[in-house]
Amino acid sequence: ESAGKVHFCTSAAELEAAYSAGAVALTADVQNSNFIGPDFDRLETVYWLGVRRIQVTYNDANAAGHGCMEDFDGGLTKWGHRLVAAMNDLGMIADTGHCKPQTVIDVAKASRKPMTCSHAGLSSISAANPRTQTDEAIKAVAKTGGVFGVVAVPSAINNTDWCTVADLVNNIDAAVKVVGEDHVGFGSDFVMSAALEEIFTAPEWSADRAAAVKTS
């Protein structure tokens, strides 16, 4: 239906092929591991359905570990260690985008393959926001060969509900200084339309660039 303009991808090779074809690459992920239940039959089922990345936790604690909105960070649980091992065996990416820092660090230590923290801010810049990660956690991600995705939600960028392109670039620059450019990516996440318009129409954007992203 997309006339080849959108490719559903389940491997790095397919992502590279989509890029070469000038197509939009889509991958399937799940934002919480709590759907898996006590065993891993469902994990294998969603793998064969095309899912290649699962967040260990969402905002709250679950059987695997502690989410970013919890007051206590107890790290990865025994079941969480089993989950990471099973995902490694299948070839799925363990994502810690919404985990507490110690849980991120524990997942990194447990994983035999590169993992990710797909979308978060930096505690060094927005310490009051729970959707941020410490330098230690970001370094742990990079040590696995993984990538830390810098989120574009204003409150995680500068602790306000409004931000500029310069604020986002400042966060990206800070992350690169911690782990290097090979381990930092874009993890924009959900952005309210007003905030997105404010980002894309900030003074740092020229008129032609603003028009290109159709913010008007």
Side-chain angles (χ1 to χ4, degrees):
E1 293 181 2
S2 67
K5 295 180 180 179
V6 178
H7 292 188
F8 180 74
C9 302
T10 59
S11 68
E14 291 177 358
L15 287 169
E16 291 172 356
Y19 178 80
S20 297
V24 174
L26 296 180
T27 61
D29 69 272
V30 181
Q31 205 165 14
N32 199 330
S33 66
N34 61 359
F35 75 95
I36 297 170
D39 57 53
F40 297 109
D41 289 344
R42 290 178 184 171
L43 186 66
E44 294 184 15
T45 297
V46 296
Y47 175 85
W48 293 115
L49 289 172
V51 173
R52 293 295 183 271
R53 178 170 60 92
I54 296 176
Q55 281 190 182
V56 175
T57 75
Y58 188 51
N59 289 333
D60 299 326
N62 62 16
H66 290 75
C68 60
M69 296 301 182
E70 296 288 346
D71 294 329
F72 174 70
D73 188 0
L76 195 65
T77 66
K78 289 183 178 180
W79 189 88
H81 278 85
R82 290 177 55 210
L83 171 65
V84 173
M87 291 177 69
N88 283 171
D89 291 342
L90 283 170
M92 303 178 81
I93 299 172
D95 186 359
T96 56
H98 276 257
C99 293
K100 295 285 278 189
Q102 187 58 52
T103 302
V104 176
I105 293 167
D106 288 351
V107 171
K109 289 179 178 178
S111 183
R112 306 185 308 273
K113 296 182 179 180
M115 44 79 71
T116 185
C117 179
S118 60
H119 56 298
L122 287 83
S123 298
S124 60
I125 294 176
S126 300
N129 192 294
R131 287 287 292 110
T132 60
Q133 292 298 337
T134 62
D135 286 359
E136 183 183 4
I138 296 170
K139 288 177 181 177
V141 172
K143 191 174 181 179
T144 71
V147 173
F148 174 74
V150 179
V151 78
V153 177
S155 59
I157 291 176
N158 63 7
N159 278 320
T160 73
D161 58 1
W162 187 92
C163 69
T164 67
V165 173
D167 292 322
L168 178 57
V169 171
N170 182 48
N171 278 253
I172 295 170
D173 181 61
V176 169
K177 287 177 179 176
V178 173
V179 291
E181 61 183 19
D182 289 342
H183 299 287
V184 177
F186 294 98
S188 57
D189 198 19
F190 174 76
V191 181
M192 296 297 289
S193 58
L196 185 64
E197 183 175 1
E198 288 164 355
I199 291 172
F200 284 154
T201 58
E204 295 89 340
W205 283 71
S206 60
D208 58 331
R209 288 183 177 179
V213 294
K214 300 179 175 62
T215 58
S216 61

